[in-house]
Amino acid sequence: MVNVDILELFHENDFVKICAPMVRYSKLPFRILARKYGCDLCFTPMIMADSFVQSAKARSNEFTTCIDDKPLIVQFAANTVSDFVSAAELVAPYSDGVDLNCGCPQRWAMKDGYGAQLLTQPETIRDMVRQVRNRVSDRYSVSVKIRLLDEDRKTIELARSLEVAGASFLTLHARTVHERHSPIHADSLREVCQSLRVPLVANGDIKTLEGAKVLHANTGCKGMMAARGMLTNPAMFSGYKTTPLSCVQDWVNVSLDLGVIFNCFHHHLVFMLEHVLPKEGKRIFNTLKTKSAVLDFLHENYEISYVPGSSGLSAQSDVIVCDKSSDREENSVGSFFTSAVQKCEVQDEILDSLGGLYD
């Protein structure tokens, strides 16, 4: 696959409309849907770099793409330079850039030295960026997603150092590690943006296209990254206030043509129909247990039916996996976090808890 020049994307647009990396949710079928409705750039879910390097099973489970899935950034969680560099080299032929997660505030991630915990090790982050930049094409994007530090001055110092290390662009979630649902700090976004030469992407509280335009005007950030807003309305960057039924129809066709599992199929629809279904409809829909029950509900209430093959995609012929071998293959899954996510899936609040990680 030919790499897209991500910096050209920033130069060609007033601001780049971006689908955030979301655990379990920003996978290939959802990225295809988002691209149909105005999204310029998509991220994969966060992938554990050590697992990706050590295990062919992890690579096939955690990363899939297709020829039209571009431009694409692959986000990794890593706590060593060698893991991040090796993972980037493996995925480079299939993507347009790699991103280092330094923003995840979850306890399990920080306990093991991943995500926002890396903000306490700026030299390690810089070395990760430098080493990947030295090992892949200049055209290949290397970026970092960070959170605000306790002072804007410190955030600016970190961002500038990553710029010097060779980062193509940076994403700033405009809250500190300890802030969850408080309003974002737009003034801090503006200060950091004005201090950099590389593009800065804003993340946090972006729920509508109009909101993205306002934040762009107020901060100057060259990218607007949405997470929960995209889940509840994958067509938000096309200007829709709520998910249009055409988007629900497209999700049904794309996801079922690609053979997604029921939980993924249903969870996305729960988000997408959040502002569409009446209260009683939500109560019924959220308890459905099979694909056929979901399709019956959609047909009866909205005349939406699955049309096999209408997406033009096939799981057998169109999906591309990372089939490169690793020099560090150990037939191990490292700290493969699928099991941790599966434990969460039995909890009733899983949709809200995962959806709220990013916005």
Side-chain angles (χ1 to χ4, degrees):
M1 297 175 68
V2 177
N3 293 130
V4 174
D5 190 330
I6 299 297
L7 287 181
E8 279 299 311
L9 192 66
F10 283 106
H11 292 153
E12 292 168 357
N13 294 272
D14 287 339
F15 64 88
V16 178
K17 299 180 284 292
I18 304 172
C19 179
M22 295 178 282
V23 174
R24 296 194 302 133
Y25 289 117
S26 54
K27 292 194 172 185
L28 175 61
F30 188 72
R31 298 196 301 267
I32 291 171
L33 183 70
R35 296 182 194 284
K36 288 174 68 71
Y37 289 90
C39 192
D40 300 315
L41 174 63
C42 291
F43 278 59
T44 68
M46 182 182 73
I47 300 171
M48 301 302 296
D50 64 342
S51 303
F52 200 80
V53 171
Q54 295 174 25
S55 168
K57 180 180 179 182
R59 290 194 290 277
S60 63
N61 282 346
E62 294 300 293
F63 176 78
T64 57
T65 186
C66 70
I67 194 168
D68 294 322
D69 184 29
K70 59 186 179 183
L72 176 66
I73 303 290
V74 183
Q75 188 187 74
F76 287 107
N79 56 11
T80 69
V81 174
S82 61
D83 280 342
F84 186 57
V85 172
S86 297
E89 289 182 309
L90 285 170
V91 82
Y94 310 95
S95 60
D96 306 296
V98 67
D99 185 80
L100 177 65
N101 185 309
C102 296
C104 180
Q106 295 298 290
R107 284 191 298 271
W108 69 266
M110 296 186 66
K111 174 177 173 292
D112 292 334
Y114 296 104
Q117 185 61 33
L118 283 172
L119 296 175
T120 66
Q121 304 171 51
E123 182 53 45
T124 298
I125 306 174
R126 290 192 290 270
D127 200 18
M128 289 181 180
V129 172
R130 279 193 295 262
Q131 292 300 326
V132 173
R133 174 51 62 223
N134 290 336
R135 299 276 284 274
V136 297
S137 164
D138 289 341
R139 187 178 163 93
Y140 193 69
S141 175
V142 182
S143 57
V144 183
K145 189 171 188 286
I146 63 175
R147 279 181 173 255
L148 286 173
L149 300 178
D150 56 1
E151 296 178 23
D152 284 354
R153 172 185 57 81
K154 294 179 181 178
T155 307
I156 291 170
E157 288 174 357
L158 173 61
R160 282 176 169 170
S161 72
L162 296 177
E163 178 181 71
V164 171
S168 306
F169 70 92
L170 299 173
T171 299
L172 177 59
H173 185 121
R175 295 185 180 94
T176 68
V177 172
H178 305 293
E179 295 175 326
R180 290 293 192 272
H181 304 293
S182 58
I184 64 166
H185 299 278
D187 53 344
S188 298
L189 277 169
R190 183 174 56 254
E191 290 296 319
V192 177
C193 181
Q194 293 175 350
S195 302
L196 297 174
R197 294 187 300 275
V198 297
L200 183 69
V201 172
N203 177 224
D205 280 351
I206 299 171
K207 304 291 177 62
T208 65
L209 178 60
E210 187 59 36
K213 290 178 178 178
V214 170
L215 191 61
H216 167 63
N218 290 341
T219 66
C221 290
K222 287 293 291 178
M224 295 288 130
M225 177 183 283
R228 179 66 187 239
M230 289 291 294
L231 286 178
T232 56
N233 180 13
M236 60 166 279
F237 282 134
S238 289
Y240 290 95
K241 302 299 184 183
T242 59
T243 307
L245 293 181
S246 62
C247 185
V248 178
Q249 177 69 73
D250 286 334
W251 170 249
V252 168
N253 291 334
V254 169
S255 61
L256 296 185
D257 278 350
L258 290 178
V260 302
I261 63 172
F262 172 75
N263 280 351
C264 177
F265 174 64
H266 185 234
H267 284 181
H268 274 292
L269 286 169
V270 169
F271 279 120
M272 291 164 64
L273 296 172
E274 181 177 334
H275 300 300
V276 176
L277 287 173
K279 184 176 181 180
E280 179 61 16
K282 288 180 186 178
R283 186 191 66 77
I284 295 170
F285 187 83
N286 293 359
T287 61
L288 298 178
K289 301 298 182 184
T290 66
K291 288 181 181 178
S292 61
V294 169
L295 291 174
D296 286 344
F297 180 96
L298 293 175
H299 180 70
E300 291 170 8
N301 290 276
Y302 299 107
E303 297 184 349
I304 291 173
S305 300
Y306 172 43
V307 184
S310 62
S311 72
L313 296 166
S314 165
Q316 286 71 39
S317 60
D318 295 301
V319 173
I320 299 168
V321 298
C322 178
D323 57 5
K324 290 192 69 175
S325 297
S326 167
D327 293 337
R328 292 167 53 197
E329 200 81 34
E330 299 175 12
N331 293 318
S332 162
V333 293
S335 58
F336 200 28
F337 74 102
T338 299
S339 59
V341 173
Q342 287 173 340
K343 290 177 184 177
C344 292
E345 287 179 344
V346 302
Q347 301 174 10
D348 292 338
E349 68 272 17
I350 183 61
L351 298 180
D352 287 334
S353 63
L354 284 181
L357 287 181
Y358 313 95
D359 283 332

